[in-house]
Amino acid sequence: MTPQTSVCFDLETGGLEPDQPDIQLAAIAVGSDYNELATFERKIQFDESKATKVALEINHYDPETWKREAKPLIQVCREFADFLRPYCCVPKVSKAGKPYKVARLFGHNAATFDGPRLQRMFTGAGVFLPADLRVRCTLQRALWWFDEHCEDLPKSPENFKVGPLCEYFGIPVVDAHDALGDVRMTVALARKLKERE
């Protein structure tokens, strides 16, 4: 893989608190021009009693769909690690001095929310996450962009969530709060921000 590959990811959750479950993980591997190289989507088995009803409604939780499609957390972690391996391009050196590579991750609000949750998910499952823990974030990139261009803009977005930002830049909002839908919007947002630099 070229050094320019990145993996955009998103987690849907049963609530915002750290002890509330992760219910869906999706990702898209992209090249330097944000062209889609591969996709990943898994629903995760979880204890419904530990989630909030509001969060499950927002995230389109359907018990029958999860019963049919959801996989155990450890299996999702292993499958996601396998998905990441072809896109490992960030060089690292182990404590023993052995060189290896990990994937470059990005997402929306991923530096403070999805990234730490993904790390906790893998730690809890006892699975190595082959990714750079310095997660890139389109929320931060958008904040900088608006700071730098605010004098030239007639208005600002309603807020800096991925949906309103996509609407602001004329990107279709499709399947919001579905992990794969949110990833596709985030990739489109990252591409748009790069084009407007």
Side-chain angles (χ1 to χ4, degrees), residues 38-178:
T39 62
F40 177 94
E41 187 277 330
R42 298 290 185 277
K43 291 169 180 64
I44 304 167
Q45 292 176 359
F46 68 98
D47 182 349
E48 196 173 327
S49 70
K50 294 184 177 179
T52 69
K53 184 178 179 182
V54 171
L56 295 181
E57 287 173 359
I58 289 171
N59 294 322
H60 311 294
Y61 170 67
D62 173 58
E64 288 304 312
T65 302
W66 258 255
K67 183 178 180 181
R68 198 171 53 249
E69 298 178 16
K71 298 183 177 184
L73 177 65
I74 191 167
Q75 182 178 346
V76 172
C77 289
R78 287 173 177 160
E79 290 178 2
F80 188 55
D82 288 342
F83 173 82
L84 291 175
R85 286 194 178 91
Y87 308 103
C88 289
C89 58
V90 179
K92 298 281 184 181
V93 178
S94 73
K95 291 179 182 177
K98 183 179 178 182
Y100 66 102
K101 292 182 179 179
V102 293
R104 178 185 299 110
L105 297 179
F106 75 99
H108 196 76
N109 199 23
T112 58
F113 187 77
D114 298 83
R117 287 192 78 106
L118 185 69
Q119 292 174 42
R120 280 195 304 273
M121 191 170 96
F122 270 73
T123 299
V127 177
F128 173 68
L129 175 61
D132 188 351
L133 301 182
R134 300 169 299 175
V135 177
R136 280 65 171 172
C137 183
T138 53
L139 170 61
Q140 291 297 320
R141 190 168 189 180
L143 289 168
W144 278 103
W145 190 91
F146 278 92
D147 285 348
E148 292 164 354
H149 296 85
C150 65
E151 293 178 2
D152 306 323
L153 302 174
K155 61 175 185 167
S156 294
E158 172 190 333
N159 61 52
F160 284 83
K161 293 180 180 178
V162 71
L165 280 167
C166 284
E167 287 175 354
Y168 183 91
F169 287 110
I171 298 164
V173 176
V174 181
D175 295 327
H177 298 291
D178 170 81

